[in-house]
Coordinates of all heavy atoms in Angstrom, one line a residue:
Chain Q
I103 N 77.4 -125.2 -86.3 CA 76.0 -125.0 -86.7 C 75.9 -123.8 -87.6 O 75.4 -123.9 -88.7 CB 75.0 -125.0 -85.5 CG1 75.2 -126.1 -84.6 CG2 73.5 -124.8 -86.0 CD1 74.9 -127.5 -85.1
W108 N 77.2 -117.1 -93.1 CA 76.3 -116.3 -92.4 C 77.0 -115.0 -92.0 O 78.1 -114.9 -91.8 CB 75.8 -116.9 -91.1 CG 75.0 -118.1 -91.2 CD1 75.1 -119.1 -92.2 CD2 74.1 -118.7 -90.2 NE1 74.3 -120.1 -91.9 CE2 73.6 -119.8 -90.7 CE3 73.7 -118.1 -88.9 CZ2 72.7 -120.6 -89.9 CZ3 72.8 -118.9 -88.2 CH2 72.4 -120.1 -88.7
Q121 N 62.8 -113.7 -85.7 CA 62.8 -115.1 -86.3 C 62.9 -115.1 -87.8 O 63.6 -115.9 -88.4 CB 61.7 -115.8 -85.8 CG 61.9 -117.2 -85.2 CD 61.0 -118.2 -85.7 OE1 61.4 -119.2 -86.5 NE2 59.6 -118.2 -85.3
N122 N 62.3 -114.1 -88.3 CA 62.2 -114.2 -89.7 C 63.3 -113.4 -90.5 O 63.2 -113.0 -91.7 CB 60.8 -113.7 -90.3 CG 59.9 -114.8 -89.8 OD1 60.0 -116.0 -89.9 ND2 58.6 -114.3 -89.5
T123 N 64.3 -112.9 -89.8 CA 65.4 -112.2 -90.4 C 65.9 -113.0 -91.6 O 66.1 -114.3 -91.6 CB 66.6 -112.1 -89.4 OG1 66.1 -111.6 -88.2 CG2 67.6 -111.2 -89.9
R127 N 74.1 -114.0 -97.5 CA 75.3 -114.8 -97.5 C 76.5 -113.8 -97.6 O 76.5 -112.9 -98.4 CB 75.4 -115.8 -98.7 CG 74.4 -117.0 -98.4 CD 74.6 -118.0 -99.4 NE 73.5 -118.9 -99.5 CZ 73.2 -119.9 -98.7 NH1 74.2 -120.1 -97.7 NH2 72.2 -120.6 -98.8
H151 N 75.2 -137.4 -99.0 CA 76.0 -138.6 -98.9 C 75.4 -139.7 -99.9 O 74.4 -139.6 -100.5 CB 75.8 -139.3 -97.5 CG 76.5 -138.5 -96.5 ND1 76.4 -138.7 -95.1 CD2 77.2 -137.3 -96.5 CE1 76.9 -138.0 -94.4 NE2 77.6 -137.0 -95.2
G153 N 73.5 -142.5 -100.3 CA 72.5 -143.3 -99.6 C 71.3 -142.5 -99.1 O 71.3 -141.3 -99.4
I154 N 70.4 -143.2 -98.5 CA 69.2 -142.4 -98.0 C 69.7 -142.1 -96.5 O 69.4 -142.8 -95.7 CB 68.0 -143.4 -98.1 CG1 67.8 -143.8 -99.4 CG2 66.8 -142.7 -97.5 CD1 66.8 -145.0 -99.6
E156 N 70.9 -138.6 -93.8 CA 70.8 -137.1 -93.5 C 72.2 -136.5 -94.0 O 73.2 -137.1 -94.2 CB 70.6 -136.8 -92.1 CG 69.3 -137.4 -91.5 CD 69.3 -137.2 -90.1 OE1 68.9 -136.1 -89.7 OE2 69.4 -138.1 -89.2
G177 N 75.5 -129.2 -89.1 CA 74.7 -128.0 -89.0 C 73.9 -127.9 -90.3 O 73.2 -126.9 -90.5
Y178 N 74.0 -128.8 -91.2 CA 73.3 -128.6 -92.5 C 71.8 -128.6 -92.3 O 71.1 -128.0 -93.2 CB 73.8 -129.8 -93.4 CG 75.2 -129.5 -94.0 CD1 76.3 -130.0 -93.3 CD2 75.4 -128.8 -95.1 CE1 77.5 -129.9 -93.8 CE2 76.6 -128.5 -95.6 CZ 77.7 -129.1 -94.9 OH 79.0 -128.9 -95.4
H180 N 70.1 -127.5 -89.7 CA 69.7 -126.5 -88.7 C 68.5 -125.7 -89.1 O 68.4 -125.1 -90.2 CB 70.9 -125.5 -88.4 CG 70.5 -124.4 -87.5 ND1 70.2 -124.7 -86.1 CD2 70.4 -123.1 -87.5 CE1 69.9 -123.5 -85.5 NE2 70.0 -122.6 -86.3
K181 N 67.4 -125.9 -88.4 CA 66.1 -125.3 -88.8 C 65.7 -124.2 -87.7 O 64.6 -123.7 -87.7 CB 65.0 -126.3 -88.9 CG 65.3 -127.4 -89.9 CD 64.2 -128.4 -90.0 CE 64.3 -129.6 -89.1 NZ 65.5 -130.5 -89.4
G182 N 66.7 -123.9 -86.9 CA 66.3 -122.8 -85.9 C 65.2 -123.2 -84.8 O 64.4 -122.5 -84.4
R186 N 62.5 -121.1 -82.8 CA 61.1 -121.3 -83.0 C 60.3 -121.5 -81.7 O 59.2 -121.1 -81.5 CB 60.8 -122.5 -83.8 CG 61.2 -122.5 -85.2 CD 61.2 -123.7 -86.0 NE 61.7 -123.7 -87.3 CZ 61.1 -123.4 -88.4 NH1 59.8 -122.9 -88.4 NH2 61.7 -123.2 -89.6
R201 N 59.6 -133.4 -83.7 CA 60.3 -133.4 -85.0 C 61.7 -132.8 -84.9 O 62.2 -132.3 -85.9 CB 59.4 -132.5 -85.9 CG 58.2 -133.2 -86.3 CD 57.1 -132.3 -86.9 NE 55.9 -133.0 -87.3 CZ 54.9 -133.4 -86.4 NH1 55.0 -133.0 -85.2 NH2 53.9 -134.0 -86.7
S203 N 64.1 -134.9 -84.0 CA 64.7 -136.1 -84.7 C 63.7 -137.1 -84.9 O 63.2 -137.7 -84.0 CB 65.9 -136.7 -83.9 OG 66.5 -137.7 -84.6
G204 N 63.2 -137.2 -86.2 CA 62.0 -138.1 -86.5 C 62.1 -139.4 -86.0 O 61.1 -140.0 -85.5
D205 N 63.3 -140.0 -86.0 CA 63.3 -141.4 -85.4 C 63.2 -141.5 -83.9 O 62.9 -142.6 -83.5 CB 64.6 -142.1 -85.9 CG 65.9 -141.3 -85.6 OD1 65.8 -140.4 -84.7 OD2 66.9 -141.5 -86.2
Q265 N 65.5 -159.2 -93.3 CA 64.7 -159.9 -92.3 C 64.3 -159.0 -91.2 O 63.1 -159.1 -90.7 CB 65.6 -161.1 -91.8 CG 65.8 -162.2 -92.7 CD 64.6 -163.1 -93.0 OE1 63.6 -163.1 -92.2 NE2 64.6 -163.9 -94.0
R268 N 61.7 -156.5 -92.0 CA 60.4 -157.0 -92.1 C 59.7 -157.1 -90.7 O 58.6 -156.7 -90.5 CB 60.5 -158.5 -92.6 CG 59.2 -159.4 -92.7 CD 59.5 -160.6 -93.5 NE 60.5 -161.5 -92.8 CZ 60.0 -162.3 -91.8 NH1 58.9 -162.3 -91.5 NH2 61.0 -163.1 -91.1
E271 N 58.7 -153.5 -89.9 CA 57.6 -153.2 -90.5 C 56.3 -153.7 -89.8 O 55.4 -153.1 -89.7 CB 57.6 -153.6 -92.0 CG 56.4 -153.3 -92.8 CD 56.3 -151.8 -93.2 OE1 57.4 -151.1 -93.3 OE2 55.1 -151.4 -93.5
R275 N 53.3 -151.3 -88.4 CA 52.0 -151.5 -88.9 C 51.1 -151.7 -87.7 O 49.8 -151.2 -87.7 CB 51.9 -152.7 -89.7 CG 52.4 -152.4 -91.1 CD 52.2 -153.5 -92.0 NE 52.7 -153.1 -93.4 CZ 52.4 -153.8 -94.4 NH1 51.9 -154.9 -94.3 NH2 52.8 -153.4 -95.6
H283 N 49.3 -144.0 -86.2 CA 50.7 -143.4 -86.8 C 51.8 -144.4 -86.7 O 51.9 -145.1 -85.7 CB 51.0 -142.1 -86.2 CG 52.0 -141.3 -86.9 ND1 53.3 -141.7 -87.0 CD2 51.9 -140.2 -87.5 CE1 54.0 -140.9 -87.8 NE2 53.2 -140.0 -88.1
R284 N 52.4 -144.6 -87.7 CA 53.5 -145.7 -87.7 C 54.6 -145.4 -86.7 O 55.2 -146.3 -86.2 CB 54.1 -145.8 -89.1 CG 53.2 -146.5 -90.0 CD 53.5 -146.4 -91.6 NE 54.8 -146.7 -91.9 CZ 55.2 -147.9 -92.3 NH1 54.3 -148.9 -92.3 NH2 56.4 -148.2 -92.7
Y285 N 54.9 -144.1 -86.4 CA 55.9 -143.8 -85.4 C 55.3 -143.3 -84.1 O 56.0 -142.8 -83.3 CB 56.9 -143.0 -86.1 CG 57.6 -143.6 -87.2 CD1 57.1 -143.4 -88.5 CD2 58.6 -144.5 -87.1 CE1 57.6 -144.1 -89.6 CE2 59.2 -145.2 -88.2 CZ 58.8 -144.9 -89.5 OH 59.2 -145.6 -90.6
E317 N 61.4 -164.9 -84.1 CA 62.2 -164.7 -85.3 C 63.6 -164.0 -85.0 O 64.7 -164.3 -85.5 CB 61.4 -164.0 -86.3 CG 60.2 -164.6 -86.7 CD 60.0 -164.7 -88.3 OE1 61.1 -164.4 -88.9 OE2 59.0 -165.0 -88.7
L320 N 66.4 -166.4 -83.8 CA 67.0 -167.1 -84.8 C 67.9 -166.2 -85.6 O 69.1 -166.5 -86.0 CB 65.9 -167.6 -85.8 CG 66.4 -168.7 -86.9 CD1 66.8 -169.9 -86.1 CD2 65.4 -168.9 -88.0
Chain N
T4 N 70.7 -169.8 -92.2 CA 70.5 -168.7 -93.1 C 69.5 -169.2 -94.2 O 68.5 -168.5 -94.4 CB 71.8 -168.1 -93.7 OG1 72.6 -167.9 -92.6 CG2 71.5 -166.8 -94.4
Q7 N 66.0 -169.8 -92.9 CA 65.3 -168.6 -92.6 C 64.8 -168.0 -93.9 O 63.6 -167.5 -94.0 CB 66.2 -167.5 -91.8 CG 65.5 -166.2 -91.6 CD 64.4 -166.4 -90.5 OE1 64.2 -167.4 -89.8 NE2 63.6 -165.4 -90.3
T11 N 60.8 -167.8 -94.8 CA 60.2 -166.4 -94.8 C 59.3 -166.4 -96.1 O 58.3 -165.8 -96.2 CB 61.2 -165.4 -94.8 OG1 62.0 -165.5 -93.6 CG2 60.6 -164.0 -94.9
E16 N 54.1 -157.1 -100.9 CA 52.7 -156.9 -101.1 C 52.4 -155.9 -102.2 O 53.3 -155.2 -102.6 CB 52.2 -156.2 -99.8 CG 52.2 -157.1 -98.6 CD 51.8 -156.5 -97.3 OE1 51.5 -155.3 -97.4 OE2 51.7 -157.1 -96.4
R48 N 67.8 -140.5 -106.8 CA 68.8 -140.0 -105.8 C 68.0 -139.2 -104.8 O 67.2 -138.3 -105.1 CB 69.8 -139.0 -106.6 CG 70.6 -138.2 -105.7 CD 71.8 -139.0 -105.0 NE 71.4 -138.9 -103.6 CZ 72.4 -139.2 -102.6 NH1 73.6 -139.6 -103.0 NH2 72.0 -139.0 -101.4
D51 N 68.3 -135.2 -98.6 CA 67.7 -134.7 -97.4 C 68.0 -133.2 -97.4 O 69.3 -133.0 -97.2 CB 68.2 -135.5 -96.2 CG 67.7 -134.9 -94.9 OD1 67.3 -133.7 -94.8 OD2 67.8 -135.5 -93.8
G53 N 67.0 -131.0 -95.3 CA 66.7 -130.4 -94.0 C 65.7 -131.1 -93.2 O 65.2 -130.5 -92.1
S54 N 65.2 -132.3 -93.6 CA 64.2 -132.9 -92.8 C 64.6 -133.5 -91.4 O 65.7 -133.3 -91.0 CB 63.7 -134.2 -93.7 OG 64.3 -135.3 -93.2
C55 N 63.6 -133.8 -90.6 CA 63.8 -134.3 -89.2 C 64.3 -135.8 -89.3 O 64.4 -136.3 -88.2 CB 62.6 -134.1 -88.5 SG 61.3 -135.3 -88.9
N56 N 64.4 -136.3 -90.4 CA 64.7 -137.7 -90.7 C 63.6 -138.7 -90.6 O 63.8 -139.8 -90.8 CB 66.0 -138.2 -90.0 CG 65.7 -138.6 -88.5 OD1 64.7 -139.1 -88.0 ND2 66.9 -138.5 -87.7
E61 N 60.8 -143.6 -93.9 CA 59.7 -144.2 -94.9 C 60.4 -144.5 -96.1 O 60.0 -145.5 -96.8 CB 58.5 -143.3 -94.9 CG 57.8 -143.2 -93.5 CD 57.2 -144.6 -93.0 OE1 58.0 -145.4 -92.7 OE2 56.0 -144.6 -92.7
H63 N 63.4 -145.4 -96.7 CA 64.1 -146.6 -96.4 C 63.2 -147.9 -96.5 O 63.5 -148.9 -97.1 CB 64.7 -146.6 -95.0 CG 66.1 -146.3 -95.0 ND1 67.1 -147.1 -95.6 CD2 66.7 -145.2 -94.4 CE1 68.2 -146.5 -95.3 NE2 68.2 -145.4 -94.6
N66 N 62.6 -149.9 -99.6 CA 63.4 -150.9 -100.1 C 63.3 -152.2 -99.3 O 64.0 -153.2 -99.6 CB 64.9 -150.4 -99.9 CG 65.4 -149.4 -101.0 OD1 65.0 -149.6 -102.2 ND2 65.9 -148.3 -100.7
N67 N 62.4 -152.2 -98.3 CA 62.2 -153.4 -97.5 C 61.5 -154.5 -98.5 O 61.0 -154.1 -99.5 CB 61.7 -153.2 -96.2 CG 60.3 -153.0 -96.2 OD1 59.4 -153.3 -97.1 ND2 59.8 -152.3 -95.1
I69 N 58.7 -155.8 -98.2 CA 57.3 -155.7 -98.2 C 56.9 -154.8 -99.4 O 56.0 -155.1 -100.1 CB 56.7 -155.4 -96.9 CG1 56.9 -156.5 -95.9 CG2 55.2 -155.0 -97.0 CD1 57.2 -156.3 -94.5
Y70 N 57.4 -153.6 -99.4 CA 57.2 -152.7 -100.5 C 58.1 -153.0 -101.8 O 57.5 -152.8 -102.9 CB 57.4 -151.3 -100.0 CG 56.4 -151.0 -98.8 CD1 56.9 -150.9 -97.5 CD2 55.0 -150.8 -99.0 CE1 56.2 -150.8 -96.5 CE2 54.3 -150.6 -98.0 CZ 54.8 -150.6 -96.6 OH 53.9 -150.4 -95.6
A81 N 73.7 -143.8 -105.6 CA 74.5 -143.0 -104.7 C 74.9 -141.7 -105.4 O 75.1 -140.7 -104.7 CB 75.8 -143.8 -104.3
T96 N 67.0 -126.0 -95.8 CA 67.6 -125.1 -94.9 C 68.5 -124.2 -95.6 O 68.9 -124.5 -96.7 CB 68.3 -125.9 -93.7 OG1 69.4 -126.7 -94.5 CG2 67.5 -126.8 -92.9
L97 N 68.8 -123.0 -94.9 CA 69.7 -122.2 -95.5 C 71.1 -122.9 -95.8 O 71.7 -122.6 -96.8 CB 70.0 -121.0 -94.5 CG 70.9 -119.9 -94.9 CD1 70.2 -119.0 -96.0 CD2 71.3 -119.0 -93.8
N98 N 71.4 -123.7 -94.8 CA 72.8 -124.4 -94.9 C 72.8 -125.5 -95.9 O 73.8 -126.0 -96.3 CB 73.1 -125.0 -93.5 CG 73.5 -124.0 -92.5 OD1 73.7 -122.8 -92.9 ND2 73.6 -124.2 -91.3
M99 N 71.6 -126.0 -96.4 CA 71.6 -127.0 -97.5 C 71.2 -126.5 -98.8 O 71.4 -127.1 -99.8 CB 70.5 -128.1 -97.1 CG 71.1 -129.3 -96.3 SD 72.5 -130.1 -97.1 CE 71.6 -130.9 -98.4
E100 N 70.9 -125.2 -98.9 CA 70.5 -124.6 -100.1 C 71.4 -124.7 -101.3 O 71.1 -125.3 -102.4 CB 70.2 -123.1 -99.9 CG 69.6 -122.4 -101.3 CD 69.6 -121.0 -101.1 OE1 70.3 -120.4 -100.2 OE2 68.9 -120.3 -101.9
I128 N 55.5 -128.2 -90.2 CA 55.6 -127.4 -89.0 C 56.7 -126.5 -89.2 O 56.7 -125.4 -88.5 CB 55.8 -128.4 -87.8 CG1 55.7 -127.6 -86.5 CG2 57.1 -129.1 -87.9 CD1 55.5 -128.6 -85.3
D130 N 58.1 -123.8 -90.9 CA 57.8 -122.8 -92.0 C 59.1 -121.9 -92.1 O 60.1 -122.2 -91.4 CB 56.6 -121.9 -91.7 CG 56.6 -121.4 -90.2 OD1 57.6 -121.7 -89.5 OD2 55.5 -120.8 -89.8
E131 N 59.0 -120.9 -92.9 CA 60.3 -120.1 -93.1 C 60.7 -119.3 -91.9 O 59.9 -118.8 -91.1 CB 59.9 -119.1 -94.3 CG 59.7 -119.7 -95.6 CD 58.7 -118.9 -96.4 OE1 58.9 -117.7 -96.5 OE2 57.8 -119.5 -96.9
N132 N 62.0 -119.4 -91.7 CA 62.6 -118.5 -90.6 C 64.0 -118.2 -91.1 O 64.4 -118.4 -92.2 CB 62.5 -119.1 -89.3 CG 63.4 -120.2 -89.0 OD1 64.2 -120.8 -89.9 ND2 63.5 -120.6 -87.7
Y133 N 64.8 -117.7 -90.2 CA 66.3 -117.3 -90.6 C 67.0 -118.4 -91.1 O 67.9 -118.2 -91.9 CB 66.9 -116.6 -89.4 CG 67.3 -117.6 -88.4 CD1 68.6 -118.2 -88.4 CD2 66.5 -118.0 -87.3 CE1 69.0 -119.1 -87.3 CE2 66.8 -118.9 -86.3 CZ 68.1 -119.4 -86.3 OH 68.4 -120.4 -85.4
T135 N 65.6 -121.3 -92.4 CA 64.9 -122.3 -93.2 C 64.2 -121.5 -94.4 O 63.5 -120.5 -94.2 CB 63.7 -122.8 -92.4 OG1 64.2 -123.3 -91.1 CG2 63.2 -124.1 -93.1
C152 N 53.2 -136.6 -92.9 CA 54.3 -136.4 -91.9 C 54.4 -137.6 -91.0 O 53.9 -137.8 -90.1 CB 53.9 -135.2 -91.1 SG 55.2 -134.6 -89.9
P156 N 55.1 -145.4 -96.7 CA 55.8 -146.1 -97.9 C 54.7 -146.3 -99.1 O 55.2 -146.1 -100.2 CB 56.2 -147.3 -97.4 CG 56.4 -147.2 -95.9 CD 55.3 -146.2 -95.5

Side-chain angles (χ1 to χ4, degrees):
Chain Q
I103 306 296
W108 293 26
Q121 224 223 117
N122 290 324
T123 308
R127 290 188 198 276
H151 294 177
I154 303 164
E156 301 177 77
Y178 286 92
H180 174 64
K181 295 180 277 291
R186 287 174 192 273
R201 287 160 183 83
S203 183
D205 50 20
Q265 292 280 346
R268 185 169 60 83
E271 181 72 23
R275 286 184 171 191
H283 197 286
R284 284 161 59 87
Y285 300 92
E317 300 232 12
L320 192 73
Chain N
T4 311
Q7 180 69 12
T11 307
E16 291 176 359
R48 167 69 245 201
D51 176 343
S54 96
C55 74
N56 79 29
E61 295 298 57
H63 261 296
N66 281 319
N67 75 24
I69 289 145
Y70 299 101
T96 60
L97 183 71
N98 289 347
M99 269 305 286
E100 184 191 14
I128 192 166
D130 49 6
E131 293 150 46
N132 74 353
Y133 74 93
T135 317
C152 186

